[in-house]
Amino acid sequence: MHAMNRQSTSNLTVSADPENSAESSAVAQARAALSPSMVRRAIFSSVLGNGLEWFDFLIYAYFSKTIAQVFFPAGSGFLSIMLALATFAIGFVVRPFGGILLGLYADRMGRSRALSLIIISMAVSTLLMGLTPGYAHIGLAAPALIVFARVLQGLSVGGQFATASAMLVEYAPPGRKMYYGSFNMTAQSFALLLSSGTGYLLTTHLTHAQLVAWGWRVPFLCGALAGPIGFYIRHRVAESPEFVELRAHESRAPRTTLRQFCRDNGRAALCAMGVIAVGAATNYVWHSYMAVYVERQLHLPLAVALRGAFFCGVLNLFLFPLSGKLADRFGAYRLFYPVTIAWMVCAYPLFVYVVSAPSAERLFVAQVISTVFLAAMSGAHPGMLATLFPVRSRSSGVAISYNIAVTLFGGLAPFTITGLTRMSGSSLTPAFYLIFAGLFSLVLVYGTRRGHARADGERHPSTRNSAA
């Protein structure tokens, strides 16, 4: 037990300071050998893969009401939408398993190979979603195929965020790990921009009958086309310098079992879950769930929510990198605590503001405010998570902790909030959900980091800002 605590503390101490020691000459040489075009390809391929993941997930959420009609006809609209949201949640339930398998594969065989495998699997699952006939044509086989596609997609994306984050951080020069990692979040904002824009065009230019018949399929079919493009680009990306150094110093590829990971990285994984929880809840409540909330609770057109989401996607293209830069300058955890507390204070009044007099203008204001908070909380997440774990277990560490937190507080959010709102009858349920997620994050991060952040700063005064 003491050995476990010592090892976890060691990992956490390293992670608290992304640059706790001078960069090794091997890593510096490997990084120097990379051409600017190779670095750009590494960033672009990571952004493309993560963007495709989020595009597919958001499109499903935006068209969940239509998908419910096509694949899950039931006696009541509520039951139909709950079945569709449950299928949405299934993809998240299997994500930790995919994260474990693909994370271990990436730590053993390399980031580049894992990312190539992931993007092809994602493209196949997306294509299946777009081509499956409806319930009226093939009966129960239709929802069965949709569930299978969601499972395959969930397994694939389980390792996407983690491996892409590891790749970006390991490509980053000293002092810019949070900034480079923030491009993984920028991919999500690009996906939000693309999916909301596509959804808005389809819902405003097609009739309801056209949307149900074929319109909702268009985004999935277009998303599948990005798979071959992403595979081609990733195939031309060199392995990360830090992973190359790890392999150079070890006679064989590292083997890490799940039990060994829990023993060595348990505390760091808990810290990572705390970091992610509040951001995941905010992201899914204001982006994925909002499509359902606007129509069922606010009784506003879906196009109203999509317009706001589109603008927020544009805004985040700039806010996420800015957040990463600020985290590199002042310290990621020094920003994490005050921003999370401020968001908890604002979440309830923001929903009251919208619910008390629902309108397109009020909803837009609330979406913009939530987006600013989300960027401030989440811009540094990839860098924070990646630097919590050593190179040999980085992908698996980020994958396990990220996917568990996102499943519990993000993927299940639409299903959970819809059910709680039905039972309570309160339109303010999402606000209480966000406050709970914020409290969970603060307690878990503080509990796993307590007593170590100060020691890091004292031991490495030259990197005090990064150690925050």
Side-chain angles (χ1 to χ4, degrees):
M1 185 67 172
H2 291 296
M4 173 183 172
N5 288 337
R6 283 196 300 271
Q7 180 64 45
S8 296
T9 299
S10 174
N11 286 340
L12 194 60
T13 301
V14 170
S15 65
D17 180 3
E19 297 161 17
N20 62 329
S21 60
E23 185 177 40
S24 71
S25 59
V27 175
Q29 291 174 2
R31 184 172 285 116
L34 296 172
S35 65
S37 61
M38 181 62 71
V39 175
R40 287 194 296 269
R41 282 201 297 268
I43 294 175
F44 181 74
S45 65
S46 298
V47 168
L48 179 65
N50 204 35
L52 175 61
E53 167 199 347
W54 272 90
F55 177 82
D56 296 339
F57 272 64
L58 289 170
I59 282 294
Y60 186 101
Y62 291 151
F63 290 103
S64 56
K65 186 176 179 181
T66 303
I67 291 173
Q69 292 180 251
V70 176
F71 295 103
F72 304 97
S76 70
F78 173 76
L79 179 58
S80 181
I81 192 65
M82 287 298 285
L83 288 172
L85 293 178
T87 304
F88 179 75
I90 285 174
F92 288 85
V93 172
V94 301
R95 278 179 68 161
F97 302 101
I100 292 171
L101 295 175
L102 291 168
L104 293 174
Y105 178 80
D107 286 333
R108 177 171 170 76
M109 303 304 297
R111 321 306 189 204
S112 185
R113 287 189 183 183
L115 288 171
S116 296
L117 174 63
I118 288 167
I119 198 167
I120 290 298
S121 300
M122 288 165 54
V124 170
S125 62
T126 304
L127 185 63
L128 183 59
M129 286 284 296
L131 293 179
T132 300
Y135 181 88
H137 294 89
I138 59 174
L140 291 176
L145 286 172
I146 293 300
V147 170
F148 173 76
R150 288 291 299 164
V151 168
L152 179 61
Q153 188 183 61
L155 291 173
S156 301
V157 303
Q160 165 61 40
F161 179 91
T163 308
S165 295
M167 176 75 96
L168 288 169
V169 168
E170 290 168 4
Y171 260 87
R176 305 190 74 187
K177 292 186 181 298
M178 300 298 162
Y179 174 65
Y180 269 57
S182 70
F183 286 109
N184 219 10
M185 302 305 299
T186 303
Q188 297 183 7
S189 62
F190 178 74
L192 174 62
L193 174 67
L194 191 60
S195 60
S196 59
T198 304
Y200 177 77
L201 289 175
L202 290 173
T203 54
T204 55
H205 288 77
L206 297 180
T207 65
H208 178 72
Q210 290 173 322
L211 203 60
V212 172
W214 57 270
W216 69 272
R217 298 179 184 273
V218 173
F220 289 99
L221 297 176
C222 292
L225 295 177
I229 299 173
F231 178 80
Y232 172 75
I233 295 172
R234 279 181 171 170
H235 190 65
R236 301 181 62 207
V237 174
E239 191 53 77
S240 75
E242 292 183 19
F243 186 83
V244 170
E245 185 202 22
L246 174 67
R247 292 296 299 272
H249 284 78
E250 296 190 352
S251 57
R252 59 181 182 178
R255 292 181 179 273
T256 303
T257 64
L258 183 59
R259 177 178 295 182
Q260 181 182 350
F261 169 83
C262 293
R263 183 183 69 243
D264 295 344
N265 301 280
R267 191 168 181 175
L270 289 175
C271 183
M273 291 179 205
V275 168
I276 285 294
V278 64
T282 303
N283 204 351
Y284 280 84
V285 166
W286 279 100
H287 293 155
S288 296
Y289 177 68
M290 194 51 57
V292 177
Y293 187 79
V294 164
E295 289 189 305
R296 294 185 65 87
Q297 300 298 324
L298 302 182
H299 305 292
L300 296 173
L302 175 60
V304 170
L306 293 175
R307 280 199 302 267
F310 181 85
F311 179 82
C312 291
V314 175
L315 194 60
N316 269 337
L317 290 175
F318 305 96
L319 291 181
F320 278 132
L322 176 61
S323 177
K325 282 190 174 183
L326 292 175
D328 278 324
R329 180 175 178 82
F330 299 105
Y333 291 93
R334 287 179 180 162
L335 297 177
F336 173 80
Y337 293 113
V339 171
T340 301
I341 293 172
W343 177 231
M344 291 172 63
V345 171
C346 293
Y348 181 81
L350 200 59
F351 270 93
V352 171
Y353 171 74
V354 175
V355 172
S356 60
S359 67
E361 292 75 17
R362 290 198 173 202
L363 178 63
F364 179 78
V365 171
Q367 285 178 298
V368 171
I369 293 174
S370 68
T371 294
V372 173
F373 274 105
L374 177 63
M377 288 188 293
S378 304
H381 278 176
M384 292 169 75
L385 267 62
T387 54
L388 274 167
F389 302 94
V391 177
R392 67 168 50 250
S393 58
R394 180 165 289 160
S395 287
S396 51
V398 176
I400 292 170
S401 51
Y402 172 81
N403 285 301
I404 290 176
V406 169
T407 297
L408 294 177
F409 288 92
L412 294 176
F415 181 81
T416 302
I417 296 175
T418 300
L420 290 175
T421 302
R422 174 82 171 190
M423 289 187 293
S424 66
S426 173
S427 298
L428 299 175
T429 300
F432 296 111
Y433 185 85
L434 292 175
I435 293 171
F436 171 76
L439 183 62
F440 176 87
S441 286
L442 290 174
V443 170
L444 196 56
V445 173
Y446 179 77
T448 51
R449 285 182 51 83
R450 186 175 52 185
H452 298 291
R454 181 177 178 182
D456 296 338
E458 292 172 351
R459 187 154 45 245
H460 308 289
S462 64
T463 56
R464 188 174 182 85
N465 284 344
S466 294

